[in-house]
Amino acid sequence: MAKKRNIIVGQSGGPTSVINSSLAGVYKNAVERGFDKVYGMLHGIQGLLDEQYIDLSTQIHSELDIELLKRTPSAFLGSCRYKLPADLDSEVYPAIFDNFREMNIGYFLYVGGNDSMDTVDKLSRYAEKIGSDVKFIGIPKTIDNDLVLTDHTPGFGSAAKYVASTVREIVLDASVYQQRSVTIVEIMGRHAGWLTAASRLARKYEGDNPCLIYLPETPFSLEQFYNDLDAAFKKSPNLVVCASEGIADEGGTFVCEYSDAAKLDSFGHKMLTGCGEVLESFVRDKFGVKVRSIELNVNQRCSGMMVSETDIEEAAMAGAAGVKAVLAGETKKMIAFKRDSDMPYKMHCTPEDVSLICNQEKKFPKEWINAAGNDITDDFSAYALPLIQGEPKRVMENGVPKYLYRK
């Protein structure tokens, strides 16, 4: 029986709190299926071009290491934001495939979002062009939850849990004083509002804060924002508002571009401040109340202490499914999640054509946004609640979480 060729895996795009769980799923399954070498690209496809890679067996020595890796946020192998040339005649492609031959690579798995799926698609098409039998599979990853043909993406559940938990704490903090106040929470999501919608899960009862939620899928108006706040103040003196960083007006101008502060850098390039700061200034000017804006920033994607166990296990499942798929002869595919039921929650993995996924964007459903464009319906809660469930068993060291670090 011919010996298996080697397998290589990389990570790309923005890190998440469970992207390493997918890596652990790939490594564990590949070893169990008899691969002699499981290589990891350092800093994604860009690192591979520079011949930067490691044998993962030099980093992962035990089942405990695998479990630590599953619970380690950020990208263990390092990441990149490198887009392969559209022209398949580019010299980049022969260089990559020369590296494959030198390393005896037969299987390529790439963990990432939209641009990463574009990489899988282009490498697959180049392989077809030159008659190479290397198999290519994408493993989904993004807190934005904006990949098409999959129910959800690994990373979203944990980020949603972080947003819901943090906003709930902000709501408690914002309600301690009697005087009127507005707290604006700016949440990641440039073009898709899935993560901001998760702030709805912070509510304890109907009418609780956050009282207003704004997504990029609905045009934003400062005039309507004023009216929304005015109406909300009639019900409560303390208001919490959640807004996606990418909210824009009817003409497509981002609200973060309204600011006159620091518009140009030393090179004359436009610098965009956060939409939260713009809304904070607006509220202070129009209402004269205590107001503050909070940008959740990278904590949304890197919190290992607020991760969803469901998300961890599904991310690992996606990695394992990728190994199974390439060994079954699949290529030019992405591992997608298909939901079988909400209650009880069940899902399964299936490979989907990556060419139908890359360079597409799954928007938040319009039917899950209320008619006024300032709130989210119950349908989203039924969709999202199963994804944030479970508390993983944490390994602690001197009072802080123990993670796996690349040596």
Side-chain angles (χ1 to χ4, degrees):
M1 182 176 171
K3 191 174 181 180
K4 288 189 186 79
R5 283 187 291 166
N6 299 322
I7 188 168
I8 192 165
V9 57
Q11 298 170 310
S12 180
T16 78
S17 58
V18 301
I19 187 174
N20 290 328
S21 189
S22 291
L23 177 61
V26 169
Y27 180 76
K28 179 178 173 64
N29 199 263
V31 170
E32 289 174 348
R33 289 173 180 269
F35 279 94
D36 181 45
K37 294 290 185 183
V38 183
Y39 288 112
M41 295 170 246
L42 298 182
H43 303 290
I45 194 69
Q46 193 167 21
L48 181 63
L49 274 166
D50 297 331
E51 299 184 12
Q52 297 181 36
Y53 55 86
I54 56 173
D55 179 346
L56 283 171
S57 68
T58 65
Q59 307 290 318
I60 304 169
H61 304 293
S62 64
E63 283 291 328
L64 175 59
D65 282 350
I66 290 174
E67 290 304 312
L68 285 177
L69 182 59
K70 287 169 67 175
R71 288 155 178 74
T72 299
S74 188
F76 182 79
L77 293 172
S79 186
C80 70
R81 292 191 183 276
Y82 180 81
K83 199 170 181 70
L84 286 174
D87 182 5
L88 294 184
D89 290 326
S90 166
E91 61 185 14
V92 164
Y93 294 98
I96 292 172
F97 278 73
D98 283 346
N99 287 342
F100 288 159
R101 281 187 287 273
E102 289 175 12
M103 299 167 66
N104 193 28
I105 299 297
Y107 312 94
F108 176 103
L109 277 68
Y110 211 36
V111 189
N114 212 315
D115 285 343
S116 303
M117 297 309 118
D118 180 70
T119 294
V120 172
D121 179 57
K122 287 171 178 171
L123 291 175
S124 301
R125 288 192 285 117
Y126 184 78
E128 291 174 355
K129 178 181 176 181
I130 66 171
S132 168
D133 62 355
V134 179
K135 308 301 182 190
F136 298 89
I137 289 286
I139 310 296
K141 172 266 353 165
T142 173
I143 64 169
D144 293 322
N145 201 37
D146 59 353
L147 291 177
V148 301
L149 300 188
T150 184
D151 179 77
H152 58 282
T153 55
F156 170 68
S158 293
K161 183 170 187 150
Y162 178 89
V163 166
S165 302
T166 302
V167 169
R168 175 166 286 187
E169 292 167 350
I170 289 170
V171 167
L172 289 171
D173 182 87
S175 64
V176 300
Y177 299 111
Q178 289 183 317
Q179 68 261 41
R180 295 203 306 173
S181 69
V182 177
T183 303
I184 298 158
V185 185
E186 180 181 337
I187 298 168
M188 283 181 174
R190 197 70 168 170
H191 300 292
W194 292 94
L195 197 53
T196 302
S199 63
R200 189 194 191 283
L201 306 178
R203 290 179 186 152
K204 301 181 292 296
Y205 52 83
E206 189 67 30
D208 189 20
N209 274 311
C211 62
L212 300 167
I213 302 173
Y214 298 100
L215 311 187
E217 284 79 359
T218 301
F220 183 86
S221 158
L222 285 176
E223 180 181 359
Q224 185 59 50
F225 180 51
Y226 176 90
N227 293 334
D228 290 344
L229 286 175
D230 193 45
F233 268 132
K234 292 179 172 61
K235 300 176 183 178
S236 173
N238 307 118
L239 308 180
V240 175
V241 177
C242 292
S244 293
E245 62 183 353
I247 55 172
D249 60 27
E250 193 76 52
T253 300
F254 289 117
V255 170
C256 62
E257 295 182 276
Y258 288 2
S259 174
D260 290 328
K263 274 204 167 181
L264 300 178
D265 63 16
S266 59
F267 295 97
H269 300 144
K270 184 181 290 185
M271 298 174 64
L272 303 182
T273 60
C275 72
E277 294 178 6
V278 174
L279 298 182
E280 177 185 346
S281 296
F282 177 82
V283 171
R284 184 176 292 110
D285 179 56
K286 297 297 182 181
F287 289 91
V289 298
K290 178 183 178 182
V291 57
R292 71 176 63 186
S293 60
I294 301 168
E295 184 184 355
L296 297 190
N297 213 299
V298 297
N299 304 63
Q300 297 156 90
R301 72 186 191 195
C302 71
S303 174
M305 287 299 287
M306 227 175 280
V307 71
S308 153
E309 183 178 31
T310 296
D311 199 18
I312 284 180
E313 295 308 321
E314 288 185 347
M317 187 189 308
V323 176
K324 180 180 178 181
V326 290
L327 287 178
E330 297 278 13
T331 191
K332 202 180 180 184
K333 299 290 179 66
M334 184 193 83
I335 301 302
F337 289 171
K338 299 299 179 185
R339 187 178 300 217
D340 302 311
S341 64
D342 287 327
M343 295 183 62
Y345 171 66
K346 291 182 180 178
M347 55 76 70
H348 68 277
C349 295
T350 184
E352 294 283 355
D353 186 343
V354 77
S355 68
L356 303 177
I357 297 170
C358 64
N359 304 312
Q360 304 297 318
E361 190 172 49
K362 182 174 71 175
K363 298 286 191 177
F364 189 84
K366 288 286 183 70
E367 60 269 24
W368 291 358
I369 304 173
N370 71 343
N374 60 16
D375 204 358
I376 310 303
T377 70
D378 291 337
D379 293 324
F380 172 73
S381 296
Y383 165 84
L385 278 173
L387 310 183
I388 69 171
Q389 301 304 311
E391 307 303 318
K393 183 179 178 182
R394 294 179 175 86
V395 180
M396 305 296 289
E397 187 175 62
N398 296 323
V400 295
K402 184 176 182 178
Y403 296 134
L404 191 69
Y405 295 89
R406 193 173 77 236
K407 302 173 185 67

